[in-house]
């Protein structure tokens, strides 16, 4: 395995007996996941996905990605939550957060439908002007308002540009295999469709067509991605003694000590969106029944200049999980300067990654001395195989962690509350009853 858990910075926070204390919970969680008989067991399709994926569809995904690469300057990916974060995170991690600005032979990729803000949509429409555009609309339910609205706008744009027949060659829909408005619309219009399996929840869907099509269109090797995930699947299925489960156990122990916030940290801006993906995965999976560790994320050293003060000296509510990427994609040699007017020669004649590593070491010592437990997850290089492994590591860890906490990690009942209110306020048919009541609350003094 290229992913390794490093626990040496936890010694003063967790004793050996504490691991023994939660071990039966880990064993039980592992057994439930393998036997598929725990809470939410209808949504365990992600467990075997790296092995049991639809090979015919996988080939179609690769063919569609090639078609997109050949025919488009811009790919607009429409989706929200689990139908958006994984693809964007993977592309930024494997390619670059500056992907769209770099010279390349793959299309620029813009993600829309992840907010209702009109300015952003107008800006992406303007970017598409005069360019060849393809659209990948992704929605498991096929009814989520944000992507549905954005799709209406981009579908109209494509139809104006290419006609209905031309547009349908450029629209790829990823949704339920049989039901939902998007599936019906796609079948009526003749779009190529890809499937979000019934038993894979949105936040666990990055290794389905949801993530794979945009990731492949960006020129990433999805075979290697699945290979990495498969390695992790096999490693964590064997028994209950592995780094993934140990990470879940540590989180559980720290939560019992009142550490109610986890900050996922990396020293690579290309990992920032992985932090967003992690927040959804852990937040939606664990945050329920008045329980859960609040997931947050930061990129260092950037955020040491904003959040650093709080982490070091503020209330002791958090622990950090640092994803330490051992080798950067591209290093930068720091030359000596004869004049040394900036006084930085003490940093030269070495790679910039060495300076970054010292920042990591200095910070982890300071934070742990300041009372903040630090877990380290080492990742060798930022490539497809390792990302596949890392994705699976976090997916399995949150499943074990949720079971240890006694919640169903695979539902998200709380997400519905805001939607119901929004629909009622917008006058959606079927929500008439609640409209007046909500308006009265809003208008109350
Ligand atoms: O994890 C989840 O289930 C959610 O975040 C969904 O992914 C999100 O709400 C989008 O749903 P859908 O894919 O049905 O449009």
């Amino acid at each position: 395995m290229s992913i390794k858990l490093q626990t040496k910075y936890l010694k003063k926070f967790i004793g050996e007996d504490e691991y023994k204390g939660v071990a039966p919970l880990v064993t039980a969680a592992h057994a439930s996941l393998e036997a598929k008989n725990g809470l939410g067991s209808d949504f365990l399709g992600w467990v075997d996905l790296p092995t049991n994926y639809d090979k015919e569809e996988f080939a179609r995904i690769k063919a569609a990605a090639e078609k997109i690469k050949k025919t488009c300057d811009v790919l607009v990916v429409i989706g929200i939550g689990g139908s958006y974060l994984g693809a964007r995170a993977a592309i930024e991690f494997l390619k670059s957060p500056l992907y769209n600005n770099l010279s390349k032979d793959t299309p620029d990729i813009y993600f829309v439908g992840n907010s209702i803000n009109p300015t952003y949509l107008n800006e992406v429409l303007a970017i598409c002007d005069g360019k060849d555009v393809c659209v990948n609309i992704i929605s498991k339910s096929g009814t989520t308002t944000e992507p549905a609205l954005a799709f209406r706008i981009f579908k109209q744009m494509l139809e104006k540009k290419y006609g209905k027949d031309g547009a349908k060659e450029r629209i790829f829909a990823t949704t339920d295999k049989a039901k939902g408005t998007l599936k019906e619309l796609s079948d009526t219009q003749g779009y190529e469709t890809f499937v979000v399996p019934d038993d894979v929840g949105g936040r666990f869907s990055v290794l389905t067509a949801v993530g794979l099509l945009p990731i492949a269109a960006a020129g990433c090797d999805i075979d290697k991605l699945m290979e990495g995930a498969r390695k992790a699947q096999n490693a964590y299925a064997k028994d209950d003694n592995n780094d993934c489960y140990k990470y879940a156990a540590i989180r559980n122990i720290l939560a019992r000590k009142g550490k109610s916030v986890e900050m996922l940290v990396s020293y690579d801006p290309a990992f920032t969106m992985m932090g967003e993906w992690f927040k959804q995965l852990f937040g939606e999976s664990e945050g329920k029944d008045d329980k859960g560790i609040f997931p947050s994320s930061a990129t260092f050293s950037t955020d040491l200049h904003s959040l650093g003060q709080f982490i070091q000296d503020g209330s002791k509510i958090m622990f950090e999980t640092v994803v330490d990427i051992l080798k950067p994609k591209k290093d930068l040699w720091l030359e000596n300067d004869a004049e040394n007017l900036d006084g930085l020669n003490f940093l030269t004649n070495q790679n910039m990654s060495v300076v970054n590593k010292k920042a990591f070491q200095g910070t982890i010592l300071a934070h742990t001395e300041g009372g903040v437990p630090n877990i380290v997850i080492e990742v060798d290089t930022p490539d497809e195989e390792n990302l596949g492994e890392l994705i699976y590591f976090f997916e399995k860890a949150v499943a074990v962690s949720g079971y240890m906490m006694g919640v169903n990690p695979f539902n998200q009942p709380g997400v519905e509350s805001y939607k119901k209110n929004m629909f009622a306020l917008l006058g959606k048919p079927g929500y008439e009853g609640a409209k007046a009541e909500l308006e009265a609350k809003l208008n109350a003094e």
Side-chain angles (χ1 to χ4, degrees):
M1 296 292 289
S2 109
I3 310 288
K4 290 201 176 60
L5 190 71
Q6 171 63 263
T7 56
K8 71 176 182 185
Y9 300 101
L10 286 167
K11 283 193 182 121
K12 78 171 205 198
F13 301 99
I14 300 179
E16 279 309 311
D17 276 356
E18 293 181 86
Y19 290 110
K20 286 189 196 133
V22 297
L25 291 174
V26 175
T27 306
H30 172 67
S32 291
L33 283 170
E34 295 308 310
K36 296 191 173 17
N37 62 5
L39 287 171
S41 57
D42 289 350
F43 286 94
L44 290 179
W46 59 272
V47 174
D48 302 323
L49 194 63
T51 318
N52 287 339
Y53 59 92
D54 180 339
K55 311 291 184 303
E56 181 275 328
E57 183 183 66
F58 195 80
R60 277 199 307 117
I61 291 171
K62 287 203 229 169
E66 285 311 309
K67 184 172 167 189
I68 291 169
K69 282 194 237 170
K70 278 202 196 91
T71 54
C72 299
D73 307 310
V74 174
L75 170 65
V76 176
V77 179
I78 306 177
I80 195 166
S83 291
Y84 146 69
L85 287 162
R88 182 161 171 197
I91 293 166
E92 293 203 4
F93 181 66
L94 295 171
K95 293 295 177 183
S96 166
L98 300 174
Y99 170 82
N100 283 345
N101 305 93
L102 297 174
S103 109
K104 59 192 175 299
D105 55 6
T106 48
D108 287 349
I109 300 181
Y110 289 92
F111 292 89
V112 305
N114 51 64
S115 79
I116 317 175
N117 185 283
T119 311
Y120 180 80
L121 277 173
N122 269 312
E123 286 166 356
V124 179
L125 281 169
I127 287 167
C128 291
D129 205 27
K131 308 230 172 75
D132 274 319
V133 180
C134 287
V135 165
N136 181 199
I137 163 75
I138 308 169
S139 176
K140 183 176 179 184
S141 62
T143 54
T144 308
T145 310
E146 292 89 337
L149 259 178
F151 182 54
R152 177 182 277 216
I153 291 160
F154 279 87
K155 177 175 172 292
Q156 285 167 351
M157 184 269 271
L158 287 183
E159 287 176 353
K160 264 191 213 139
K161 207 173 161 92
Y162 301 104
K164 251 185 175 319
D165 283 343
K168 81 173 190 207
E169 293 302 317
R170 293 174 170 274
I171 296 175
F172 302 85
T174 306
T175 188
D176 187 90
K177 67 173 184 309
K179 59 180 190 303
T181 312
L182 178 58
K183 175 65 181 160
E184 282 162 31
L185 188 153
S186 303
D187 288 348
T188 316
Q189 303 287 310
Y191 305 149
E192 178 161 16
T193 56
F194 297 93
V195 172
V196 194
D198 286 343
D199 56 358
V200 179
R203 58 189 173 276
F204 289 85
S205 69
V206 55
L207 299 176
T208 71
V210 169
L212 295 177
L213 180 54
I215 293 170
C220 306
D221 185 336
I222 57 172
D223 284 296
K224 289 256 178 277
L225 189 70
M226 295 305 273
E227 201 175 308
R230 198 152 49 242
K231 272 193 193 161
Q233 181 200 339
N234 293 334
Y236 307 145
K238 267 193 271 165
D239 54 40
D240 59 10
N241 183 15
N242 58 58
D243 280 355
C244 172
Y245 292 6
K246 188 158 186 188
Y247 168 58
I250 293 166
R251 297 178 80 256
N252 192 275
I253 295 166
L254 293 174
R256 288 161 192 255
K257 290 174 192 269
K259 303 295 181 191
S260 53
V261 175
E262 175 176 21
M263 185 172 280
L264 188 79
V265 168
S266 92
Y267 285 74
D268 182 350
F271 197 81
T272 302
M273 281 306 298
M274 280 298 292
E276 298 302 310
W277 172 81
F278 163 89
K279 287 194 282 201
Q280 189 209 1
L281 181 66
F282 279 70
E284 276 192 358
S285 300
E286 283 188 332
K288 54 198 68 159
D289 306 336
D290 298 327
K291 298 182 206 168
I293 298 170
F294 183 81
S296 64
S297 65
T299 304
F300 288 174
S301 63
T302 317
D303 294 323
L304 289 173
H305 296 260
S306 62
L307 295 170
Q309 170 61 34
F310 189 105
I311 302 167
Q312 187 71 46
D313 284 342
S315 52
K316 294 286 167 280
I317 52 172
M318 72 173 76
F319 62 96
E320 290 168 290
T321 299
V322 185
V323 176
D324 183 18
I325 297 153
L326 301 179
K327 295 173 205 141
K329 258 187 276 182
K330 291 183 194 136
D331 221 322
L332 188 65
W333 184 255
L334 296 165
E335 305 277 352
N336 222 46
D337 183 316
E339 289 182 285
N340 195 27
L341 294 175
D342 54 12
L344 290 177
N345 271 356
F346 76 103
L347 292 176
T348 58
N349 286 328
Q350 62 185 349
N351 275 320
M352 186 106 166
S353 62
V354 178
V355 182
N356 207 15
K357 178 60 80 179
K358 297 296 169 203
F360 158 73
Q361 291 168 339
T363 306
I364 206 161
L365 291 176
H367 286 185
T368 48
E369 274 156 30
V372 181
N374 264 253
I375 306 168
V376 179
I377 297 169
E378 291 177 350
V379 180
D380 190 37
T381 45
D383 61 24
E384 283 88 343
E385 209 174 312
N386 292 338
L387 179 63
E389 218 179 291
L390 191 63
I391 286 170
Y392 196 90
F393 174 95
F394 281 125
E395 287 181 348
K396 194 122 198 222
V398 81
V400 171
S401 204
Y403 278 170
M404 290 176 78
M405 214 173 259
V407 299
N408 176 353
F410 309 113
N411 65 2
Q412 53 284 332
V415 180
E416 293 310 309
S417 309
Y418 99 89
K419 287 188 196 166
K420 281 187 200 141
N421 287 353
M422 183 176 83
F423 289 151
L425 291 167
L426 285 167
K428 186 173 177 172
Y431 291 81
E432 295 80 359
K435 190 172 196 288
E437 195 189 318
L438 291 172
E439 282 175 345
K441 279 188 193 165
L442 287 172
N443 294 331
E445 288 296 313

